[in-house]
Amino acid sequence: AQRVTQPEKLLSVFKGAPVELKCNYSYSGSPELFWYVQYSRQRLQLLLRHISRESIKGFTADLNKGETSFHLKKPFAQEEDSAMYYCAPYYGQNFVFGPGTRLSVLP
Amino acid sequence: EPEVTQTPSHQVTQMGQEVILRCVPISNHLYFYWYRQILGQKVEFLVSFYNNEISEKSEIFDDQFSVERPDGSNFTLKIRSTKLEDSAMYFCASTPARSGYEQYFGPGTRLTVT
């Protein structure tokens, strides 16, 4: 079965500090890899997808096929980055969401 | 910008009752999904729907669940006889194609079974 792990349930950093949200996925073919974010009282929304290789809101994610990881990084965290972040590989027909990491950026 | 909408935002029902959760996907989208999130747990896939039939369903989506697209705009999830463990947030999502595109999520319906 496809599995996604995000080892940190909660990650607290100070404003301006670097942040890395970890994600590991089980290998089953070549899933498309996404990060979704859910800000307080808002819907789930796409943050970035690997295939487009773009940087959204300063976030980037590096795919490491050898380690089957897709960690999300930002060099300087902002308070408005506080949210739930979900790693979500797309296997064929649906997303398999990770358990999520709550990022709290402290002033 | 078009959005997926869901009604109601919160539904309270008694155990054993039937509930219907409604979603209006983005109008030119072709693939529709239901996910659920039990409080404090991860988002779980329930079912995908395309061309008026189920494409894929998870183990959670048992005989108590059904989906329907009764007209050109609505996409519904029915739970025939609700159980306490059905209490969760239910998210609808839609996408224009099966892969290669992001799924657009609705705001969710919070279902509380008492």
Side-chain angles (χ1 to χ4, degrees):
Chain A
Q2 296 95 351
R3 291 189 62 191
V4 187
T5 57
Q6 293 180 248
E8 303 116 341
K9 290 186 73 171
L10 173 64
L11 183 63
S12 295
V13 301
F14 286 102
K15 176 182 171 182
V19 62
E20 181 178 61
L21 298 149
K22 293 185 169 59
C23 169
N24 287 87
Y25 63 95
S26 63
Y27 177 76
S28 176
S30 296
E32 293 180 59
L33 291 151
F34 295 75
W35 276 94
Y36 272 78
V37 61
Q38 189 172 29
Y39 300 102
S40 179
R41 299 189 187 86
Q42 295 188 27
R43 65 187 68 199
L44 274 164
Q45 57 187 276
L46 178 68
L47 178 62
L48 60 79
R49 46 187 295 206
H50 168 253
I51 196 169
S52 60
R53 297 186 184 280
E54 56 192 344
S55 171
I56 305 294
K57 300 184 179 182
F59 284 95
T60 58
D62 294 324
L63 173 62
N64 185 323
K65 288 188 176 181
E67 295 181 358
T68 59
S69 68
F70 189 53
H71 302 329
L72 183 70
K73 300 177 184 179
K74 185 169 182 176
F76 307 104
Q78 303 300 313
E79 289 181 69
E80 55 265 31
D81 295 327
S82 296
M84 280 292 291
Y85 290 81
Y86 296 95
C87 180
Y90 186 78
Y91 290 98
Q93 292 201 50
N94 59 273
F95 285 107
V96 176
F97 282 86
T101 295
R102 180 170 297 283
L103 175 65
S104 177
V105 181
L106 308 171
Chain B
E1 186 176 340
E3 290 185 330
V4 176
T5 59
Q6 289 185 244
T7 54
S9 57
H10 190 189
Q11 173 91 46
V12 181
T13 189
Q14 287 190 327
M15 196 167 53
Q17 296 296 304
E18 173 185 286
V19 294
I20 297 176
L21 309 181
R22 291 184 167 78
C23 167
V24 179
I26 295 173
S27 62
N28 63 343
H29 286 187
L30 301 176
Y31 291 82
F32 314 113
Y33 306 82
W34 282 102
Y35 295 83
R36 80 170 185 191
Q37 184 177 32
I38 296 171
L39 186 63
Q41 298 186 26
K42 63 181 180 180
V43 178
E44 300 173 290
F45 167 75
L46 292 178
V47 66
S48 60
F49 191 86
Y50 169 71
N51 199 26
N52 280 320
E53 60 184 29
I54 291 173
S55 303
E56 188 174 354
K57 59 184 181 179
S58 71
E59 294 174 352
I60 303 167
F61 194 87
D62 61 22
D63 291 345
Q64 291 299 310
F65 292 88
S66 62
V67 288
E68 193 178 31
R69 190 157 161 80
D71 53 42
S73 60
N74 288 284
F75 178 51
T76 61
L77 174 70
K78 183 194 291 186
I79 309 175
R80 286 190 185 80
S81 177
T82 50
K83 303 187 282 288
L84 293 176
E85 52 265 38
D86 293 327
S87 294
M89 281 289 286
Y90 288 81
F91 295 103
C92 173
S94 71
T95 187
R98 193 175 94 168
S99 64
Y101 291 87
E102 71 177 277
Q103 290 186 10
Y104 292 81
F105 284 81
T109 292
R110 179 168 298 285
L111 176 66
T112 302
V113 183
T114 61

